[in-house]
Amino acid sequence: MPAREAARKLNESCRTWREQFPDLTSCPARDVMDYIGAKWSTLVLITLAQRSRRFGELKREIPEISQRVLTQTLRDLEQDGLISRTVFPTKPPSVEYSLTKLGTSLLIPLWELVSWANENHDKIRRARKRFKAAGK
Amino acid sequence: MPAREAARKLNESCRTWREQFPDLTSCPARDVMDYIGAKWSTLVLITLAQRSRRFGELKREIPEISQRVLTQTLRDLEQDGLISRTVFPTKPPSVEYSLTKLGTSLLIPLWELVSWANENHDKIRRARKRFKAAGK
DNA sequence: CGGGATCCCTGCCGATACTG
DNA sequence: CAGTATCGGCAGGGATCCCG
């Protein structure tokens, strides 16, 4: 799709939101942006992309995240139906997280975004340098 | 693209990041996620999508944003080369903001994401209700 | 093992007032 | 008109300790 068409469609959508959701916070797009923006959600989704994992596995694969925040992130994603949580009554109990169909379908637009990031990161970095060099 | 392939590609990319950017904060995807996650950036981008606007116009079209935050948002987007800022030495001075080519190209993946949001918002809302109903 | 509860702190965001 | 300057609230994120 050409950028021009994307622009037009976005504008149309945006106008619709305005009428449909006078309170912008209830706009559907906001919800999704929140995942994407949340510091760790996407990384968790990607980590779960190929196979389900247990809590400890996730923690080990993403050591930078704190336990508390991992728990919260998982709860949030579960709440919105992007991942599912299965408790096995072993001893001690083990809990497995996996992507739902909905969560998996999010990977497609997510991938588009990540591709864009990779392709354009150089330009962004250069723009930043120029900006700084201009004394701003 | 099927979801399965998106998953695979994301995993590959993710592994590459890990090696290339041991400090996750310097990962290219992070930068882009930050725009998307930033409360107002996308709305500003969309508003600029079809024609450039002056500061006051933007403020009027997005009344919910405060002046200070609008200024900051514009600065951030300008810094990364997504929008350009042109000062006309009229009296009083007027400033025009417009999308750059780079900024315009971001609209495409952004649109994909927004589409996904619109298509799946019902499922998300239902999942939330179920979650609450389950007493969590 | 997989969390819950608590404390704390930084940085986003907003309101208000002022300026070239 | 298009911003700066200043103050302050509050929520996201983190460290640490504790529990079944």
Side-chain angles (χ1 to χ4, degrees), chain A residues 102-120:
Chain A
L102 186 61
T104 307
S105 72
L106 177 55
L107 294 180
I108 300 175
L110 190 56
W111 165 248
E112 306 281 340
L113 203 63
V114 170
S115 295
W116 188 91
N118 284 328
E119 280 168 30
N120 295 284

Side-chain angles (χ1 to χ4, degrees), chain A residues 19-36:
Chain A
E19 293 158 10
Q20 228 175 333
F21 310 98
D23 174 16
L24 268 179
T25 54
S26 62
C27 167
R30 291 276 161 185
D31 279 347
V32 178
M33 303 301 186
D34 279 349
Y35 307 139
I36 309 293

Side-chain angles (χ1 to χ4, degrees), chain B residues 44-58:
Chain B
V44 168
L45 288 177
I46 292 173
T47 306
L48 290 177
Q50 289 218 330
R51 69 166 189 280
S52 43
R53 317 267 173 135
R54 294 177 43 194
F55 187 91
E57 286 184 279
L58 280 172

Side-chain angles (χ1 to χ4, degrees), chain A residues 54 56 67 71 75 85 97:
Chain A
R54 294 178 44 195
Q67 218 176 40
T71 303
R75 282 265 182 285
R85 179 175 182 275
Y97 297 91

Side-chain angles (χ1 to χ4, degrees), chain B residues 87-112:
Chain B
V87 182
F88 295 99
T90 56
K91 227 179 163 185
S94 71
V95 182
E96 197 170 275
Y97 295 91
S98 58
L99 283 187
T100 62
K101 218 171 163 183
L102 186 62
T104 308
S105 73
L106 177 55
L107 293 180
I108 300 174
L110 189 56
W111 166 247
E112 305 283 339

